[in-house]
Structure formats: structure tokens, C-alpha cells
Amino acid sequence: MILTVTLNTALDLTYRVPALTPHASHRVTQVIERPGGKGLNVARVLAALGYETVATGFAGGATGAMLRDLLAETPVRDELVETAGPTRRTVAVVDTASGDTTQLNEPGPAVTPAEWTAFRTHFTTLLDGARAVALCGSLPPGIHVGAYAELIRLARAASVPVLLDTSGEPLRRGIAARPDLVKPNADELAQLTGAREPHRATSDARRRGARAVISSLGPEGMLASTPEGLWRATPPAAVKGNPTGAGDSAVAGLLSGLVDGTPWPDRLTRAVALSAATVLSPVAGEFDASAYEGLLTRVTVTEEPVSP
């Protein structure tokens, strides 16, 4: 099975309105509720692709109970750890006229030292039988910035490949623990390395400890610095829609490729196609299956020269 970790889970609410106008009242035409947070989005995409998937992290309060009820309707196995604090909500307001999305993210609940200890114990147990693990998203209040580095070391001790998708100081600490993959976007990579040029930034990040670094370049696709070389994957054209969860779908593509042992060009093709197909879906954590199949044959992957 594939294990995903979402320490700061969320109940995702998507509101669709005819047009979003500042300082105005709006009539919502559709409300969609989904279990959310980056790792849960990854888990749902993996499950939709046919992989046995287990989700862990934290959930608490009435919002957490609602999240778990919704998760129970999916093929993802719920191994979340209970917290006293309530799970946060995130709100995506989709302007159906323009296709633009406005995102509002609440802070997460404060996690106590006892709850973190309980989670670490549970995580270690779940590593037994895991083929790969994804550590995704922000850290809720109360959890130290080296938490992902700690989990990476536990996964490495269990010989389980690990992908890290976070930002800021948790990314800086985590990459030094030598994960197999990290997937920052261009801004997160620039914050980590101080470099804006994609080739230099990905190579610099890899020298900091990660085995492979895959930089998300938004509508321009992905750049991957790997032990086998430097690769760029580009979608056929920019797609318009709800971008929420597109990066999480890319993580699902990369992680499934890691588990399958597919060559890097195929992994990147899968990741970029899933990302674009998610933009075409109305809610995070889902992708347009027919669009995905069509995009698989239209993503361009080229090997880039490696700077000396």
C-alpha cells in the first residue's frame, strides 16, 4: 500500500458563483464538500488510479468527524489520529464566468505533545507494509518545524521511499534528512535556494540532500533533477479551471511512478497529465479521467543538458 500523511487536514468547501465581485453579496449556485489537505487529495487520486492507499494525519472535533465521514465514502483507508482541537476548513470560491478561484485557508488546530507522540507511534506502525510514503502540506500549530525531517528518518530506517511536499523551514529541515523526492513549486524552490533560474534552483536543492527534486512550474509543466539526468515535462497547452489540488495530483503521479518503477519520462508524463486533468475538474482531489487519458499522449518530455 501507499501511505500519505496530512498533518493539517481540512474540510474542503467549494462554492461556485456566477461571478465573484468584491464588496458584493453572492448567490452560491453549488456547494461541494470533500475531505481535504494535500495528503488526502493525493490519497484520493491514488485510489482513483487503482492503488491501495492509506491516509494518516490528524482530525478532530465536529469538522474532523465530518471529514472522516466523507473519507469513508472513498476507497482510502482512514488511519487518522484524533486531536482535541477541531479540524480546519478551507474555502474555494470559483468564479464560473472567468474560471478563476479564490482560496481561503483557516489555520489548523494546536497539536499537543502527547498527540504528536501518539502520531509518531502510529506512523511507525503503518510503515510496516508501506511501499512508499508521501509527507504533504503545512504543519499545524504545536508541531515543531523539524517534524517532517523526523518522519523522513523513520521512513528511511524502515527502508520505505519517501516524497516530501511542503514549504519554508519544514522543507529546509526535511530535505536535509535525505528524502527520495521533493516537489516544491518555483516560489518554494526560490525561497529554499535563493535561485530563480529553474535549472540552478533544482540542482541546488538536490545538493542539499534530496535524491530527486521535481519543481512545479505551473502551466509550464515540471522540471526534474534526478540521478538519471535533468528532464522537462510540458503540457500541450495551458488549461483553465480550478487549480486547487493540481499539485497534489502531480504528487500522486510521481509517487505511483516511484512504486511502479517507471522511467522518469513516464513518471513526469503521468504527473503533468494528472495535474492538468485536475484543473479541469470542479473540485480538489479529483481529476477528469477522459482528459487525463487524452493528455498522456500529448505531454512533451525532453532531456535537458546538465550544467557542469
Side-chain angles (χ1 to χ4, degrees):
M1 60 88 171
I2 299 176
L3 177 63
T4 72
V5 174
T6 314
L7 297 178
N8 207 7
T9 57
L11 178 65
D12 280 348
L13 305 173
T14 301
Y15 293 157
R16 301 182 70 85
V17 297
L20 183 61
T21 306
H23 316 299
S25 296
H26 295 79
R27 186 174 296 278
V28 177
T29 58
Q30 185 182 27
V31 179
I32 303 171
E33 296 177 330
R34 290 290 187 274
K38 293 179 73 65
L40 288 184
N41 291 338
V42 172
R44 286 163 49 213
V45 172
L46 284 169
L49 291 170
Y51 294 87
E52 180 187 359
T53 312
V54 174
T56 190
F58 293 108
T63 314
M66 187 177 299
L67 180 151
R68 299 183 86 160
D69 287 344
L70 292 168
L71 190 61
E73 298 173 5
T74 76
V76 177
R77 193 173 100 211
D78 177 358
E79 289 287 351
L80 296 167
V81 173
E82 191 75 21
T83 59
T87 296
R88 66 189 177 124
R89 296 166 296 182
T90 64
V91 179
V93 183
V94 180
D95 182 325
T96 55
S98 67
D100 292 336
T101 301
T102 299
Q103 189 80 17
L104 305 172
N105 297 330
E106 295 180 355
V111 175
T112 67
E115 289 168 345
W116 173 244
T117 298
F119 173 80
R120 284 180 73 256
T121 301
H122 191 54
F123 175 74
T124 303
T125 301
L126 291 172
L127 287 173
D128 185 18
R131 299 172 67 193
V133 58
L135 308 175
C136 304
S138 61
L139 298 177
I143 295 185
H144 63 95
V145 293
Y148 281 137
E150 190 175 344
L151 298 182
I152 290 167
R153 286 191 287 269
L154 289 173
R156 286 178 58 82
S159 299
V160 178
V162 57
L163 181 151
L164 176 63
D165 183 17
T166 189
S167 60
E169 191 61 23
L171 173 60
R172 189 181 304 278
R173 300 282 187 94
I175 203 170
R178 307 184 68 80
D180 293 86
L181 298 173
V182 294
K183 195 210 71 64
N185 61 35
D187 289 339
E188 292 163 350
L189 201 56
Q191 184 183 10
L192 174 70
T193 66
R196 278 282 174 188
E197 199 283 314
H199 290 75
R200 179 179 175 184
T202 52
S203 297
D204 186 7
R206 190 163 167 249
R207 283 193 292 269
R208 292 167 183 258
R211 178 171 172 79
V213 176
I214 298 86
S215 175
S216 174
L217 306 177
E220 297 179 11
M222 292 182 169
L223 184 68
S225 178
T226 79
E228 288 78 25
L230 189 66
W231 306 87
R232 182 183 290 270
T234 309
V239 294
K240 202 165 190 179
N242 181 2
T244 307
D248 305 329
S249 291
V251 168
L254 294 169
L255 202 61
S256 62
L258 172 66
V259 166
D260 293 342
T262 57
W264 274 106
D266 295 335
R267 293 191 208 184
L268 295 170
T269 295
R270 186 184 301 182
V272 170
L274 278 170
S275 180
T278 298
V279 175
L280 296 171
S281 176
V283 293
E286 296 182 4
F287 62 94
D288 185 310
S290 61
Y292 169 60
E293 293 296 330
L295 286 161
L296 280 172
T297 59
R298 298 168 61 205
V299 174
T300 301
V301 181
T302 57
E303 189 168 8
E304 305 271 292
V306 179
S307 301

